[in-house]
Amino acid sequence: MNFQFMRKFVFAWVCLALTLLLTVQVTADEAPNLVSLVEESFAIISKPDASESERRAALDTLGKLKKSDRREAAEVLLPYLNTIHIYEQLALPRAYNSLGKVALPTLTNSVESTDKKRTRRVGIFVLGEMRDPKSISTFLDMLSHEDWLTRRAAVGAIGKLNKHAHSYAPQLHTLANDKSEVVRVSVAIALGRLKNNESAVVLGAMLRDPYFSVRFTAAASLAQLGKPGRMELEKALASNNESARYAALTALDKSLARKVAPVLITLLDDEAWPVRARAHQVLNKIAAQKINMYLQEANRNETHPGLTSALNRKRTP
């Protein structure tokens, strides 16, 4: 009796040991398989000549992984944040989006802890493309970073959150005077996307920026802010700053031109010929008999030789 019991006891322990051994072996085999699967899928997603159907299939493969595997897949993709290849950089947001929100903590921790500039910038870009409001605190922390490319990436990421970051627009106002004109352009774009009326005055001041790219971008953003933006554009049109006047003119579509038509008419006699030419071009969008009278008079009175032929062209409706 004791002998039979011992046999069963030993047999049970042997079975248990074999089960544990097989489990460990399977687990050890799964890890490299998952890594290979993620790397192969990403290679297809980032391949320049891959078809869209191939990319979608690879993205579906990542998206169908179980939650724990998707979290591990996010770790596998981290080294690609330091890639110099543009196709891989552009593919990263799609890959991380397919993994879902479980990838956010891994990506956020990497951005906040890394000392590699490219990893930080690309990581912010990917987080921005994922458009998750939970990332806002990370972006805000990066606004004061010493690296201007990091600041630009953070500003752009906040702008992509649109209405979710509406109340954070004032945090960007101080960067309207950033020493980098590229950052200032990003600020102007972001403020236009966030559509916070408090930004109108800041964008109005940016119309006097020494760089034309900043001025034109600020004017375009003001056109998106409704009445507050229109008021700032109107102030710029009536200002004594030629650059501000010209930049404001570039943002006027037909609808806005009608609303500020009285100011535009005065610009037909502006001392700066580029402003006169642009004012004529903008007023040309308005189909009104009274406006046509002013345009004809401006045509007759124009003395700049380079504008004569332009002002004689047929007015487009």
Side-chain angles (χ1 to χ4, degrees):
M1 189 71 175
N2 289 337
F3 179 72
Q4 292 293 333
F5 174 78
M6 287 299 296
R7 284 179 62 188
K8 291 180 180 179
F9 182 77
V10 171
F11 180 74
W13 272 103
V14 170
C15 289
L16 179 61
L18 288 172
T19 301
L20 290 173
L21 182 62
L22 288 172
T23 301
V24 171
Q25 183 64 41
V26 168
T27 303
D29 290 340
E30 281 181 349
N33 288 341
L34 177 62
V35 172
S36 298
L37 177 66
V38 173
E39 290 180 342
E40 289 170 6
S41 297
F42 186 70
I44 295 171
I45 299 167
S46 60
K47 189 178 179 182
D49 56 351
S51 66
E52 189 56 31
S53 59
E54 289 175 324
R55 290 194 180 97
R56 280 198 297 267
L59 290 167
D60 287 343
T61 299
L62 295 179
K64 290 176 181 178
L65 293 172
K66 60 184 181 181
K67 188 174 181 179
S68 59
D69 286 345
R70 280 186 281 128
R71 191 177 292 111
E72 188 174 344
E75 295 276 357
V76 175
L77 289 174
L78 286 180
Y80 291 101
L81 295 179
N82 200 40
T83 181
I84 61 172
H85 300 294
I86 188 64
Y87 287 108
E88 290 182 344
Q89 291 180 8
L90 294 175
L92 280 167
R94 298 187 71 179
Y96 272 103
N97 268 316
S98 68
L99 296 176
K101 293 186 177 181
V102 296
L104 280 173
T106 300
L107 191 54
T108 302
N109 289 339
S110 176
V111 169
E112 293 177 344
S113 61
T114 185
D115 57 354
K116 296 179 180 178
K117 292 181 179 180
R118 186 181 294 112
T119 296
R120 183 172 54 249
R121 298 166 191 161
V122 176
I124 294 172
F125 163 69
V126 175
L127 283 172
E129 291 296 318
M130 294 181 78
R131 290 172 168 78
D132 193 302
K134 293 179 181 178
S135 302
I136 187 68
S137 59
T138 300
F139 301 150
L140 292 174
D141 289 342
M142 296 296 168
L143 292 179
S144 57
H145 200 279
E146 61 181 7
D147 175 37
W148 67 270
L149 284 170
T150 296
R151 297 196 301 275
R152 182 190 69 168
V155 169
I158 292 173
K160 288 173 185 175
L161 291 174
N162 296 325
K163 63 180 181 180
H164 297 295
H166 173 84
S167 60
Y168 293 99
Q171 305 272 10
L172 303 181
H173 291 173
T174 55
L175 290 177
N177 296 314
D178 194 273
K179 60 185 179 180
S180 167
E181 71 276 10
V182 180
V183 174
R184 298 199 298 276
V185 168
S186 295
V187 169
I189 294 172
L191 293 180
R193 288 175 173 172
L194 298 181
K195 291 182 171 57
N196 188 319
N197 290 343
E198 295 178 22
S199 301
V201 175
V202 176
L203 287 167
M206 295 179 79
L207 294 177
R208 294 160 178 77
D209 193 276
Y211 286 85
F212 75 91
S213 56
V214 179
R215 297 195 299 271
F216 293 172
T217 309
S221 291
L222 280 169
Q224 301 177 52
L225 294 186
K227 186 177 179 180
R230 191 190 79 222
M231 292 174 63
E232 287 299 322
L233 287 172
E234 200 164 358
K235 286 180 186 176
L237 291 171
S239 73
N240 59 3
N241 187 300
E242 178 186 339
S243 297
R245 294 197 303 275
Y246 189 86
L249 284 167
T250 63
L252 300 180
D253 58 13
K254 186 175 180 178
S255 175
L256 277 173
R258 286 182 179 277
K259 293 175 181 176
V260 298
V263 181
L264 291 177
I265 291 171
T266 65
L267 294 180
L268 292 174
D269 296 321
D270 196 271
E271 61 183 13
W273 69 265
V275 174
R276 294 198 303 274
R278 191 71 185 188
H280 193 284
Q281 185 180 14
V282 174
L283 282 168
N284 214 25
K285 300 175 183 177
I286 306 174
Q289 186 175 359
K290 188 175 181 180
I291 297 297
N292 195 38
M293 263 174 28
Y294 286 108
L295 290 172
Q296 289 175 353
E297 184 180 354
N299 193 353
R300 288 192 299 268
N301 296 336
E302 182 56 53
T303 58
H304 192 283
L307 291 182
T308 303
S309 59
L311 296 178
N312 278 321
R313 290 174 186 169
K314 185 178 178 181
R315 184 166 61 92
T316 56

